[in-house]
Amino acid sequence: VGVRGLRLRGACADEADVITCVQWCTANGVPPAVRGGGHSYAGYSTTTGLLLDLRELNSVTVDRAAGTLTAGGGATIADLQTALADGPHFLPGGNCPTVGVGGLTLGGGIGPNTRWAGLTCDHLQQTRLVTAQSEALVVSASQHSDLFWALRGGAGGSFGVNTSFTFDLVEAPTGSV
């Protein structure tokens, strides 16, 4: 682990893998970094420590009756667009297909519909988060509410590893906005 120049990658298939990686980082004094989507303009997934690669956590489930969407921490805008393509709802935010839903949400979520539909983070109902202490938390307005408000566009995901996100969807307009 202490070898100079060595890049370590933890490919996470589920939340249990994320917990294992966080525990390993803590036990070995190795700094973790998270990759959820395909890129980070700010370089947040650049590390000399362990890269927790969430790209396999890319499931997207839409509940059309409830108007909600749940996405894994590695889902991208393309994954969301595919899941929502044939329905009357969408999630406001960016339109670059390789952007991860985690970075989009945790960074606020500005996009072409922000003016009338709000930011992506405005529609976040809850998220699952693995803390530095390896605790898996459900974070919402009613559970860990201070953390919930901090995550909604506050710091680019520096409070833990978000393994899933649940959103309220917006009904697609039929006229001009």
Side-chain angles (χ1 to χ4, degrees):
V1 173
V3 179
R4 284 184 216 127
L6 182 63
R7 291 189 179 165
L8 302 172
R9 179 176 160 264
C12 300
D14 55 28
E15 190 172 81
D17 286 351
V18 172
I19 291 169
T20 299
C21 286
V22 170
Q23 289 171 337
W24 184 87
C25 285
T26 301
N28 291 283
V30 174
V34 179
R35 174 188 291 152
H39 63 270
S40 168
Y41 292 132
Y44 293 139
S45 59
T46 303
T47 184
T48 57
L50 179 66
L51 177 64
L52 282 72
D53 190 339
L54 304 184
R55 291 181 291 178
E56 290 185 39
L57 279 73
N58 63 353
S59 66
V60 178
T61 305
V62 178
D63 183 335
R64 295 194 191 281
T68 60
L69 176 144
T70 299
T76 63
I77 297 295
D79 296 322
L80 273 58
Q81 290 172 341
T82 298
L84 293 168
D86 296 328
H89 297 100
F90 74 101
L91 181 65
N95 54 10
C96 177
T98 60
V99 168
V101 69
L104 174 70
T105 306
L106 300 173
I110 297 172
N113 300 306
T114 297
R115 179 180 51 84
W116 64 271
L119 299 167
T120 307
C121 66
D122 294 335
H123 298 276
L124 184 64
Q125 264 188 11
Q126 74 175 35
T127 183
R128 290 190 59 85
L129 178 94
V130 176
T131 68
Q133 293 76 32
S134 304
E135 293 179 86
L137 304 177
V138 174
V139 180
S140 68
S142 61
Q143 299 177 73
H144 309 286
S145 59
D146 287 346
L147 182 55
F148 178 67
W149 293 112
L151 288 168
R152 296 177 65 217
S158 62
F159 295 102
V161 181
N162 296 77
T163 59
S164 74
F165 300 87
T166 300
F167 300 95
D168 289 315
L169 296 171
V170 174
E171 193 165 330
T174 54
S176 63
V177 285

